[in-house]
Amino acid sequence: MQTNNDDNDSCKADNGIALVVGRFVQTILYRFIDASSSHKMQGMAATESQMLELGTRAPDFALPDFDGNLHSLAESASAYLVMFICNHCPFVKHVSQELARLGQEFPDRSVAIYAINSNDIVKYPDDGPESMRREALEQGYSFPYLLDADQSVAKAYKAACTPDFYVFDSERALVYRGQLDGGRPSNNVPVDGRDVRAALDAVLEGRDVSADQVPSIGCNIKWQPGNEPDYY
């Protein structure tokens, strides 16, 4: 009799379908909430990640922090986390404490973490170096907070919004890009960094990172006039 085996196989298949459908519904729900959130931001442009192709090698950089000290990608690390953020965007402010927690927890696990501000600081002086220093101190950022003055690094990563997140493995191959988690300024989803944390944990534990990834959403990077990328 094969009835029990057939029933087990059927249950497994049903569970697999349920997981896929559940993740799809979650993604649609987050995007619906995002649309609602952006509507409530009183005209502030809300932009999604461009979702750089997985496997892309991390573009290197040499950028100054708010004190003028240059930083580049570490020569060796178990994983790399590159975040595009700024000082004034409400989407970034909403997650800033979780960013600080990431910076406190993961360097001990050989994760190199960098935050990059690519906004036009002439038109948006609140994103300038002095404000970056103040923001880093107030939020407790322990990772380098860097200024991409000519916006070339943002373009190299195809960064589009703040915040925007990229996780690379020890070979600097892109394994995750998208949202920190489902939390947004106008919803009640916990800000726990679960998507980025799951990607980092998978890399550090030698597991594959799920390719089912949800774009981040936030304020658009404030491009200098005439310097807008072709994907903007």
Side-chain angles (χ1 to χ4, degrees):
M1 297 286 290
Q2 298 294 319
T3 302
N4 289 340
N5 288 337
D6 291 344
D7 288 345
N8 288 337
D9 290 343
S10 177
C11 286
K12 290 178 181 177
D14 289 344
N15 288 339
I17 292 171
L19 286 172
V20 172
V21 171
R23 184 60 173 173
F24 174 76
V25 171
Q26 180 190 52
T27 300
I28 296 300
L29 178 60
Y30 282 163
R31 291 192 178 185
F32 174 79
I33 293 171
D34 290 342
S36 176
S37 298
S38 63
H39 177 71
K40 294 176 181 179
M41 286 297 160
Q42 299 181 350
M44 181 170 291
T47 302
E48 281 194 347
S49 303
Q50 285 292 302
M51 305 301 276
L52 186 65
E53 183 178 359
L54 294 174
T56 299
R57 183 172 173 80
D60 207 349
F61 51 76
L63 295 176
D65 61 23
F66 42 73
D67 288 323
N69 302 309
L70 286 179
H71 298 260
S72 297
L73 288 174
E75 289 188 6
S76 64
S78 296
Y80 298 82
L81 171 60
V82 178
M83 311 177 290
F84 287 85
I85 66 172
C86 66
N87 303 326
H88 76 275
C89 173
F91 288 90
V92 177
K93 288 183 175 295
H94 187 66
V95 303
S96 58
Q97 287 301 296
E98 177 60 16
L99 303 187
R101 285 189 288 269
L102 290 173
Q104 294 160 5
E105 297 172 24
F106 279 94
D108 288 342
R109 300 174 67 185
S110 189
V111 176
I113 301 178
Y114 307 87
I116 299 174
N117 170 23
S118 298
N119 277 357
D120 176 1
I121 63 173
V122 174
K123 190 171 182 180
Y124 298 88
D126 284 346
D127 282 325
E130 289 304 318
S131 295
M132 290 170 62
R133 176 188 287 106
R134 183 170 59 252
E135 183 74 4
L137 290 173
E138 289 179 356
Q139 302 302 340
Y141 293 161
S142 55
F143 42 76
Y145 188 13
L146 311 176
L147 179 61
D148 177 24
D150 67 2
Q151 306 183 314
S152 60
V153 177
K155 289 181 177 180
Y157 281 77
K158 294 190 72 173
C161 58
T162 56
D164 217 350
F165 299 90
Y166 301 80
V167 175
F168 300 86
D169 65 16
S170 61
E171 302 299 318
R172 301 191 184 183
L174 182 65
V175 295
Y176 178 84
R177 70 284 192 254
Q179 66 177 12
L180 176 69
D181 53 43
R184 304 290 186 265
S186 297
N187 69 26
N188 294 316
V189 176
V191 177
D192 54 15
R194 66 179 58 193
D195 293 58
V196 167
R197 286 176 177 273
L200 288 171
D201 285 340
V203 173
L204 296 174
E205 294 166 10
R207 297 182 284 106
D208 289 338
V209 177
S210 172
D212 187 10
Q213 303 175 8
V214 179
S216 184
I217 190 169
C219 308
N220 64 292
I221 288 178
K222 303 305 186 283
W223 302 103
Q224 297 159 359
N227 199 39
E228 299 86 353
D230 56 9
Y231 57 82
Y232 176 61

